[in-house]
């Protein structure tokens, strides 16, 4: 899906003063990263490492894994398409609603697709497909599935592709990377762009068994991670403990935000375990609301109607600063009164 994601302010002539459509940390890149990258600027005069070998070693050491269990990629999207290519034509299940690129990548490589609603996974159903994609915490709902290990254990014939792009935005679960050495049918996709606010650099990694990573490497194109992204990754892991987002404050602000929004009778707020959450407009639809907010207030939300299993009334918003949150609260009150 080339169009229809969040953070699409570039498509509108209006000045956007607050972007609630992206679930990237609103506080910007870690302090010191910009200067660090500029100090490494001369590295762009040479080709980057073919497979981001030095960053691979750092990520592996961070997770106490071997370098053969880690593959650095040009964001999670490259990882998704690489997995879909490697297992072309397989029977694949996608837990929905979900990031559209799972379905798009699998369709491109002729997977036989089935879809499993998030509401059905609490029962941990037996699986009959070769792969299953699950985003945990989920995008766009912000829900978490805390008992993943038992489901993986009971379905050894199915490869679990778990997207942990938003693992840094919740306290309700920890990463499943610690399970990698126990379950050869588990793969974890991890993003380095959301919590560190560098989506423009495109950087992420895959953790899996050595045999799976070796297979992916035979399909991966060279030099997909540019030198600046590589340096950013090194900075992140060299300064990991000092640059984490203020999650407790962010989730406290989200609680206040959602409680205030819930007083608006034109909205239905959905609970989530992350800083972003789904909302339904009970008047008109999300597309019209999005246009109203852009044109009248310079505010951007994520029209979520193109997520499978959602409706034209669904939209997603992320928590920003309290000041910007109040701008949206006031604008949505105006929307309620006008409709």
């Amino acid at each position: 899906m080339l169009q229809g994601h969040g953070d699409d302010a570039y498509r509108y002539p209006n000045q956007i003063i607050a972007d609630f459509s992206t679930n990237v940390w609103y506080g910007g890149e870690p302090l010191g990263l910009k200067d660090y990258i500029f100090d490494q600027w001369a590295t762009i005069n040479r080709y980057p490492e073919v497979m981001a070998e030095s960053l691979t070693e750092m990520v592996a050491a961070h997770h106490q894994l071997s370098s053969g269990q880690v593959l650095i990629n040009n964001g999670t999207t490259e990882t998704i398409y690489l997995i879909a290519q490697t297992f072309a034509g397989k029977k694949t299940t996608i837990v929905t609603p979900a990031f559209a690129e799972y379905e798009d990548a699998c369709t491109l490589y002729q997977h036989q697709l089935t879809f499993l609603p998030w509401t059905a996974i609490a029962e941990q159903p037996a699986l009959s497909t070769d792969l299953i994609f699950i985003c945990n915490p989920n995008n766009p709902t912000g829900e978490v599935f805390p008992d993943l290990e038992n489901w993986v254990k009971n379905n050894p014939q199915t490869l679990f592709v778990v997207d942990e792009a938003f693992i840094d935005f919740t306290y309700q679960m920890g990463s499943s990377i610690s399970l990698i050495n126990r379950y050869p049918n588990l793969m974890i996709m991890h993003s380095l762009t959301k919590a560190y606010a560098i989506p423009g650099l495109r950087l992420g990694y895959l953790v899996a068994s050595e045999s799976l990573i070796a297979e992916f490497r035979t399909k991966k194109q060279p030099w997909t991670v540019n030198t600046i992204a590589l340096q950013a990754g090194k900075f992140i892991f060299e300064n990991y403990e000092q640059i984490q987002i203020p999650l407790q404050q962010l989730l406290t602000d989200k609680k206040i935000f959602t409680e205030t929004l819930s007083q608006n009778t034109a909205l239905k707020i959905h609970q989530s375990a992350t800083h972003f959450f789904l909302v339904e407009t009970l008047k008109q639809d999300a597309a019209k609301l999005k246009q109203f907010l852009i044109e009248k207030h310079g505010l951007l939300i994520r029209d979520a109607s193109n997520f499978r299993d959602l409706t034209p009334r669904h939209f997603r918003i992320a928590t920003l600063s309290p000041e910007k949150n109040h701008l949206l609260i006031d604008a949505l009150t105006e929307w309620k009164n006008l409709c």
Side-chain angles (χ1 to χ4, degrees):
M1 183 172 65
L2 295 179
Q3 304 293 342
H5 293 289
D7 199 15
D8 58 350
Y10 68 91
R11 300 178 63 196
Y12 302 95
N14 309 65
Q15 180 185 6
I16 301 300
I17 61 176
D19 185 355
F20 295 89
S21 75
T22 174
N23 33 31
V24 172
W25 159 238
Y26 73 84
E29 77 280 354
L31 184 66
L33 175 58
K34 183 177 179 180
D35 289 339
Y36 179 89
I37 288 176
F38 283 173
D39 286 343
Q40 306 294 322
W41 192 255
T43 59
I44 69 169
N45 300 134
R46 305 186 66 179
Y47 279 92
E49 298 170 10
V50 174
M51 299 288 282
E53 290 88 347
S54 60
L55 183 56
T56 299
E57 294 287 348
M58 293 180 73
V59 172
H62 177 80
H63 292 295
Q64 297 180 312
L65 299 170
S66 72
S67 59
Q69 294 173 285
V70 175
L71 186 65
I72 309 295
N73 288 321
N74 182 266
T76 297
T77 299
E78 185 196 2
T79 307
I80 294 167
Y81 279 81
L82 188 59
I83 292 170
Q85 177 189 5
T86 301
F87 296 101
K90 296 293 187 179
K91 295 179 180 179
T92 299
T93 296
I94 298 173
V95 179
T96 59
F99 184 45
E101 299 303 334
Y102 309 150
E103 183 175 349
D104 289 352
C106 289
T107 299
L108 179 65
Y109 289 103
Q110 293 84 47
H111 287 233
Q112 303 169 58
L113 288 174
T114 56
F115 301 93
L116 182 66
W118 184 272
T119 52
I121 68 174
E123 300 176 1
Q124 301 185 16
L127 300 171
S128 59
T129 49
D130 301 304
L131 284 84
I132 184 169
F133 281 83
I134 177 172
C135 189
N136 197 30
N138 191 38
N139 175 29
T141 67
E143 296 175 282
V144 301
F145 183 57
D147 194 21
L148 184 64
E149 181 178 5
N150 193 54
W151 201 16
V152 173
K153 180 180 179 181
N154 290 334
N155 292 273
Q157 76 291 344
T158 299
L159 284 171
F160 281 73
V161 184
V162 182
D163 186 349
E164 290 190 346
F166 304 102
I167 193 68
D168 299 306
F169 294 97
T170 185
Y171 283 126
Q172 292 190 21
M173 61 169 285
S175 174
S176 294
I177 288 178
S178 60
L179 304 177
I180 285 293
N181 286 326
R182 275 181 261 171
Y183 301 102
N185 61 322
L186 178 62
M187 296 182 276
I188 308 293
M189 300 188 292
H190 206 287
S191 172
L192 290 173
T193 63
K194 308 296 190 299
Y196 306 110
I198 53 170
L201 286 181
R202 314 306 306 131
L203 185 63
Y205 56 92
L206 175 67
V207 174
S209 68
E210 290 194 5
S211 60
L212 281 171
I213 294 297
E215 189 170 0
F216 294 133
R217 282 179 175 157
T218 67
K219 305 288 194 303
K220 182 175 168 63
Q221 297 178 26
W223 304 308
T224 64
V225 179
N226 70 69
T227 301
I228 298 302
L230 180 62
Q231 297 300 334
K234 290 181 179 180
F235 178 90
I236 288 169
F237 285 98
E238 286 171 355
N239 299 276
Y240 190 83
E241 298 300 329
Q242 293 75 41
I243 61 173
Q244 298 307 299
I245 61 173
L247 183 56
Q248 185 62 63
Q249 185 60 55
L250 181 61
L251 293 180
T252 297
D253 291 343
K254 178 265 186 110
K255 183 174 185 292
I256 296 170
F257 192 20
T258 54
E259 287 176 349
T260 306
L261 285 174
S262 67
Q263 298 171 22
N264 187 324
T265 56
L267 304 174
K268 178 181 178 182
I269 312 300
H270 292 254
Q271 296 301 310
S272 82
T274 60
H275 71 304
F276 61 88
F277 51 96
L278 280 180
V279 185
E280 288 179 70
T281 174
L282 305 181
K283 296 186 175 183
Q284 299 189 39
D285 59 36
K288 291 177 182 176
L289 173 56
K290 178 179 178 179
Q291 202 62 35
F292 165 80
L293 292 171
I294 291 171
E295 293 178 355
K296 301 296 184 182
H297 296 277
L299 307 178
L300 186 62
I301 59 171
R302 168 66 156 95
D303 178 356
S305 61
N306 60 348
F307 282 96
R308 185 179 286 272
D309 292 347
L310 298 187
T311 74
R313 294 181 178 270
H314 283 89
F315 61 99
R316 190 193 68 203
I317 56 181
T319 303
L320 302 184
S321 68
E323 295 77 17
K324 289 185 176 179
N325 294 341
H326 277 288
L327 292 177
L328 184 57
I329 290 167
D330 291 343
L332 289 171
T333 299
E334 182 181 333
W335 166 260
K336 180 192 72 170
N337 295 333
L338 286 174
C339 294

